[in-house]
Amino acid sequence: MKTEAIVREKASMEVEQPPAAGGGGGFNNGNQSSEEQKFSVPVDSENKATEFRLFSISKPHMRAFHLSWISFFSCFVSSFAAPPLLPIIRDNLNLTATDIGNAGVASVSGAVFARVAMGTACDLVGPRLASASLIFLTAPAVYFTSVINSATSYLLVRFFTGFSLATFVSTQFWMSSMFSPPVVGRANGFAGGWGNLGGGATQLIMPLVFSLIRDIGAAQFTAWRIAFFVPAFFQMLTAFSILIFGQDMPDGNFQRLKKSGEKPKDEFSKVLFHGVSNYRGWILALTYGYCFGVELTIDNIIAEYFYDRFNLKLHTAGIIAASFGLANLFSRPGGGMLSDAVSRRFGMRGRLWALWLCQTFAGVLCIILGLVGSLSVSVVVMIIFSVFVQAACGMTFGIVPFVSRRSLGVISGMTGGGGNVGAVVTQLIFFKGSRFSKERGITLMGVMIIICTLPICLIYFPQWGGMFFGPSSKKVTEEDYYLGEWNSKEQEKGSHHASMKFADNSVSERGRRLNTSTRPADESTPSPTHV
Amino acid sequence: MASHKVVVASFLLCCLAQTCYGGVLFSSLERTIDVTASPNEGQVLSVGVNKISVTWALNKTLPSGIDSTYNTIKVKLCYAPVSQRDRPWRKTEDNLSRDKTCQHNIASKPYDASNKTSQSFEWIIGLDVPTATYFVRAYAFDQNDMEVAYGQTTNEKKSTDLFEINGVTGKHTSLDISSVCFSAFSVVSLFVFFYIEKRKGKAASSVEQKVIT
């Protein structure tokens, strides 16, 4: 993506980058203390950007955005690189439909635990190192795809490659660390959506790379093997870029911040505890399983569905399959932006209602998709369904950053992992073997979406309210909620200051009609700390 | 409910339209051609190395004139049931436009009804033929390119005279070595970066200490 840094909008925002800024955040923060850092976008008290400028690569905020979505995109390309080439691979390896189905389940199940682990890793070592490590460690699985020769080895490489989908969590964590609450929904939405795009893009990229290599002269069964070097290499390249150009937080990298005492080292067990004991994390994990999990399931089955039911050519079915994933370009970010817009007026309650309405409607469309019998109506319904289900994904991550501050990574990981669990469970119940025809499976999946979205009604934030109830009458504040994660000893040590700042900034989740009882009425937008 | 009926009706129409256009049904074809192929039952052949010789001729016991519409004979390599099991992309369907049993072409020769001698063809097995169990079938096409008759080397149940072909693996030593090298590079790079980060961290904390003291 070639972008130009649109950094100088107003003269007052023009800043000097520190002299040693040649390579970027990774190596050059040695002699800069955080108070002196200036940014080219307006920031809040935690130095998180309050504006999201899509076509800028200013460091560190927008640069982090581009690094994270591109690396996540490459992981999606690698994880779903095999399905479009299956017509060749299945003959080369003599696979059966069962082998293929099992590998499909394996490809999304690896990431279930990897996502939770990634969440914890982000809390402890920072998103930069966590994601780059995962990408470097899963690249071998993609390289080794070119040497497999059996159904078992096919399943294994897809399983291990699928671990890389855990970079989703580091993406969301990174965005939540770099962007302020009023824009975190759209930052997460764009990063997640443009990453998910990889699942659609790969259906177009891999066949293209394959035919190019075959036309140069390689035999068919060799050409697909060579083709896998492309996503593997691209993936490795993104890991290098993250480490060289990226930065964990607006103030610098975890390691340096930890060593200098600015970011206190946190305890793994406490972080994990505060994550898993927060019931909202579990509810979001379930509901995310029925928007993102459904998206992954559709990625795996929709080409075959169109091919079999409407007797299309595999090539045509592949294009339709790709369009489902490509809708992510605007639909998931759209969900994030809508969540932010609704929050401006209605606060967190608006975010919850928007998510419930959007995802329930996606379920209705899914039911219809399984029932329609004409090709053109089916494609139209599928596209509308893709927009709503992906928007629901974006909206989920408009809520996740607020569930916990201390254990943001664990919550992100649980939710992300829940997405994959949804994909595994749904594929096992409805799309394995021949108990249900694919169209019946799709309709039943729609019913399950509606049922599993209902728990959103149970999410309640005492400081902001829930879908059916307003904020608690005990006048709980944001500070009370976020400081509840730190005990008095930890507060004495001052470990909770980052949470305090976040609490202040999250007051925007009250919506426009402010609860004036505990806060002075002027604090509705964070004041910029740059000159 | 009217809209539901419209949807069902249009679906049925599409299905019927499909059968109108598509396809000759295999069950409507007569087995009039005798086909023999060189591989013995159970023989294992390798692609690119072994050859298959196919010979075909009209069955002599049939009344004359039956082949008046035959224009071309196409000989194909077809999957045996054991290689079709749990593989819907090789499924046998009665409607020949949707049938996927015979996916590899061996030969295509014009047919002359007046010339009763058998025709034959020697085929080096193509490199893109996958590992599976096969038999050989010949279809007779008329001038409109519609199937009118067939013949095959095996019986009705497709259980006799089947042979195996071993396809290429597509693997190359150079690919294996490259995979290992790139993978090793990937893992080693990670550790190099970790080491650099640790050193930076130490340097930063010692600078901070100097600043403080």
Side-chain angles (χ1 to χ4, degrees):
Chain A
M1 184 166 165
K2 293 178 180 42
T3 56
E4 290 190 20
I6 307 169
V7 199
R8 339 211 179 286
E9 278 209 351
K10 301 176 192 164
S12 59
M13 288 209 245
E14 188 122 21
V15 292
E16 293 274 306
Q17 292 295 335
F27 290 129
N28 299 306
N29 287 348
N31 31 348
Q32 186 90 4
S33 82
S34 53
E35 284 92 2
E36 289 171 21
Q37 266 193 331
K38 297 188 180 82
F39 303 100
S40 34
V41 290
V43 293
D44 64 14
S45 63
E46 288 180 281
N47 285 336
K48 294 185 184 177
T50 55
E51 276 178 32
F52 179 74
R53 299 207 185 128
L54 193 53
F55 297 109
S56 150
I57 50 168
S58 64
K59 77 175 224 182
H61 309 97
M62 292 316 299
R63 194 171 289 192
F65 166 73
H66 289 296
L67 287 171
S68 63
W69 84 258
I70 291 179
S71 59
F72 184 43
F73 176 92
S74 79
C75 292
F76 244 97
V77 168
S78 302
S79 298
F80 292 98
L85 294 182
L86 266 177
I88 316 291
I89 300 177
R90 68 192 177 196
D91 276 345
N92 194 179
L93 267 46
N94 206 15
L95 300 175
T96 61
T98 308
D99 295 331
I100 295 173
N102 287 341
V105 173
S107 68
V108 293
S109 51
V112 171
F113 293 107
R115 283 181 165 205
V116 181
M118 181 61 123
T120 326
C122 283
D123 282 323
L124 298 175
V125 303
R128 196 174 137 260
L129 277 181
S131 62
S133 308
L134 183 65
I135 295 174
F136 273 130
L137 292 174
T138 49
V142 191
Y143 284 118
F144 280 120
T145 311
S146 47
V147 307
I148 59 175
N149 206 16
S150 67
T152 313
S153 49
Y154 174 65
L155 185 132
L156 285 174
V157 290
R158 283 214 72 193
F159 176 66
F160 287 112
T161 305
F163 274 65
S164 66
L165 291 180
T167 41
F168 166 73
V169 176
S170 54
T171 300
Q172 302 290 290
F173 184 99
W174 210 356
M175 294 300 96
S176 304
S177 309
M178 285 285 182
F179 291 91
S180 187
V183 292
V184 77
R186 100 189 47 183
N188 276 339
F190 272 101
W194 286 13
N196 280 16
L197 214 58
T202 195
Q203 314 257 8
L204 300 172
I205 294 175
M206 291 306 286
L208 207 69
V209 170
F210 165 74
S211 17
L212 225 74
I213 297 175
R214 193 190 45 188
D215 293 343
I216 290 178
Q220 163 171 280
F221 289 161
T222 305
W224 76 261
R225 294 172 186 276
I226 301 176
F228 266 85
F229 276 82
V230 171
F233 194 71
F234 178 40
Q235 195 177 312
M236 226 172 57
L237 222 64
T238 61
F240 275 110
S241 310
I242 289 175
L243 287 175
I244 296 173
F245 299 113
Q247 187 179 313
D248 287 311
M249 306 185 82
D251 297 328
N253 285 318
F254 264 46
Q255 286 272 48
R256 192 192 69 82
L257 292 174
K258 270 200 288 204
K259 288 273 194 307
S260 66
E262 283 170 56
K263 178 166 170 48
K265 190 171 155 82
D266 207 345
E267 264 180 73
F268 169 67
S269 54
K270 287 278 172 62
V271 167
L272 194 62
F273 173 74
H274 285 290
V276 301
S277 57
N278 195 325
Y279 76 93
R280 301 169 194 84
W282 291 101
I283 294 183
L284 288 176
L286 172 65
T287 61
Y288 196 60
Y290 283 89
C291 55
F292 182 64
V294 163
E295 188 184 330
L296 288 182
T297 303
I298 297 271
D299 275 340
N300 265 335
I301 62 127
I302 198 75
E304 265 187 285
Y305 170 71
F306 276 98
Y307 179 76
D308 288 336
R309 190 161 189 205
F310 302 104
N311 206 32
L312 301 173
K313 290 204 292 273
L314 201 73
H315 181 64
T316 316
I319 294 179
I320 298 179
S323 66
F324 177 85
L326 291 176
N328 265 304
L329 183 68
F330 56 87
S331 51
R332 189 171 172 140
M337 293 202 289
L338 200 63
S339 187
D340 287 340
V342 164
S343 146
R344 276 197 289 274
R345 175 82 175 87
F346 297 108
M348 176 54 70
R349 298 184 71 184
R351 289 191 195 262
L352 291 168
W353 269 102
L355 174 59
W356 182 80
L357 285 168
C358 185
Q359 193 161 318
T360 304
F361 189 54
V364 170
L365 287 166
C366 191
I367 294 176
I368 297 177
L369 178 63
L371 293 174
V372 295
S374 119
L375 174 61
S376 38
V377 176
S378 207
V379 173
V380 168
V381 171
M382 185 202 74
I383 291 181
I384 303 178
F385 166 58
S386 73
V387 170
F388 278 89
V389 80
Q390 289 159 7
C393 294
M395 289 179 187
T396 308
F397 276 86
I399 297 173
V400 163
F402 298 100
V403 170
S404 162
R405 180 64 190 84
R406 185 174 190 181
S407 310
L408 170 64
V410 174
I411 300 286
S412 299
M414 279 163 63
T415 309
N420 281 58
V421 171
V424 170
V425 166
T426 309
Q427 281 178 93
L428 285 176
I429 299 179
F430 300 124
F431 298 106
K432 188 173 154 79
S434 39
R435 200 188 323 160
F436 299 111
S437 65
K438 283 223 165 45
E439 50 265 32
R440 190 137 177 85
I442 291 176
T443 300
L444 291 173
M445 182 167 70
V447 174
M448 196 146 181
I449 294 175
I450 296 179
I451 295 174
C452 292
T453 307
L454 286 171
I456 294 178
C457 304
L458 301 173
I459 296 183
Y460 181 76
F461 288 91
Q463 71 275 31
W464 299 317
M467 270 172 73
F468 298 113
F469 299 102
S472 166
S473 50
K474 285 186 238 154
K475 311 282 189 234
V476 178
T477 64
E478 289 79 4
E479 272 185 30
D480 297 332
Y481 179 79
Y482 291 110
L483 292 190
E485 298 182 312
W486 303 90
N487 62 31
S488 43
K489 263 199 294 210
E490 290 162 338
Q491 291 192 31
E492 266 168 48
K493 277 199 292 186
S495 312
H496 63 298
H497 285 136
S499 289
M500 283 270 285
K501 286 193 203 163
F502 180 75
D504 286 348
N505 290 320
S506 68
V507 174
S508 53
E509 294 307 305
R510 295 188 185 188
R512 206 172 290 160
R513 281 173 296 154
L514 285 176
N515 185 346
T516 55
S517 49
T518 49
R519 292 232 50 110
D522 57 341
E523 190 67 73
S524 60
T525 50
S527 47
T529 54
H530 72 292
V531 173
Chain B
M1 270 303 150
S3 54
H4 182 67
K5 286 189 190 141
V6 169
V7 166
V8 173
S10 51
F11 176 51
L12 282 174
L13 213 62
C14 291
C15 285
L16 290 171
Q18 176 64 58
T19 42
C20 283
Y21 271 109
V24 181
L25 297 178
F26 184 71
S27 47
S28 70
L29 298 181
E30 269 187 62
R31 187 175 175 168
T32 60
I33 305 173
D34 288 336
V35 186
T36 50
S38 56
N40 300 320
E41 178 156 13
Q43 189 176 350
V44 179
L45 305 160
S46 297
V47 300
V49 170
N50 294 121
K51 298 191 183 109
I52 297 182
S53 285
V54 188
T55 312
W56 63 92
L58 188 70
N59 188 317
K60 305 249 181 335
T61 63
L62 294 170
S64 66
I66 203 168
D67 57 352
S68 52
T69 51
Y70 299 3
N71 194 272
T72 328
I73 303 284
K74 290 189 191 164
V75 185
K76 300 186 183 198
L77 191 65
C78 308
Y79 292 106
V82 63
S83 288
Q84 289 177 301
R85 200 173 338 164
D86 205 11
R87 293 177 178 87
W89 56 91
R90 294 178 185 167
K91 202 162 155 208
T92 297
E93 289 216 26
D94 203 24
N95 185 335
L96 283 173
S97 65
R98 296 169 63 130
D99 179 49
K100 299 193 177 75
T101 319
C102 304
Q103 294 186 16
H104 302 277
N105 295 322
I106 296 178
S108 175
K109 290 270 176 78
Y111 182 79
D112 185 1
S114 56
N115 184 350
K116 295 290 185 212
T117 56
S118 61
Q119 290 178 299
S120 67
F121 186 79
E122 200 175 57
W123 182 60
I124 297 183
I125 307 175
L127 288 172
D128 58 347
V129 174
T131 302
T133 309
Y134 296 90
F135 63 94
V136 178
R137 180 183 285 172
Y139 285 108
F141 287 82
D142 64 11
Q143 290 162 298
N144 302 322
D145 218 24
M146 302 281 274
E147 295 89 342
V148 286
Y150 80 100
Q152 61 191 27
T153 54
T154 182
N155 61 3
E156 288 292 316
K157 287 215 196 85
K158 296 182 273 186
S159 56
T160 59
D161 292 310
L162 305 171
F163 54 94
E164 286 174 41
I165 296 181
N166 281 342
V168 293
T169 59
K171 290 178 67 163
H172 280 271
T173 328
S174 52
L175 279 181
D176 296 349
I177 296 177
S178 309
S179 297
V180 173
C181 288
F182 276 107
S183 303
F185 177 62
S186 189
V187 177
V188 167
S189 308
L190 178 64
F191 286 111
V192 167
F193 272 109
F194 261 125
Y195 176 66
I196 295 177
E197 287 289 310
K198 261 202 135 121
R199 261 203 353 203
K200 285 253 166 280
K202 281 204 194 114
S205 62
S206 60
V207 164
E208 292 283 347
Q209 280 173 354
K210 284 191 188 133
V211 168
I212 290 165
T213 54

